[in-house]
Amino acid sequence: MQLQGLGVLAMLLTAVLVPLALLLAIWVALQMARLIGLPGLVGQIAADIVNAYRQRRKD
């Protein structure tokens, strides 16, 4: 009986901790990206692609 209770407890802890760990990892990654300036870089690349596409359509 004791082992079954531990299994249920372990499952509950896992069900709670895994999503929390994932959220924390995503949050940390976003903070690092902001620190490095990744959104600006991505925006710059997107703008370059759009500009190149517009340029090609003009020609």
Side-chain angles (χ1 to χ4, degrees), residues 9 31-32 35-36 42 45-47 59:
L9 187 66
Q31 296 304 312
M32 291 300 289
L35 207 68
I36 296 166
V42 170
I45 291 168
D59 295 343

Side-chain angles (χ1 to χ4, degrees), residues 10-43:
M11 271 172 45
L12 283 173
L13 275 174
T14 305
V16 171
L17 289 178
V18 169
L20 279 177
L22 281 172
L23 281 172
L24 183 67
I26 290 167
W27 183 79
V28 167
L30 286 173
Q31 296 304 312
M32 291 300 289
R34 268 217 328 238
L35 207 68
I36 296 166
L38 199 62
L41 184 67
V42 170

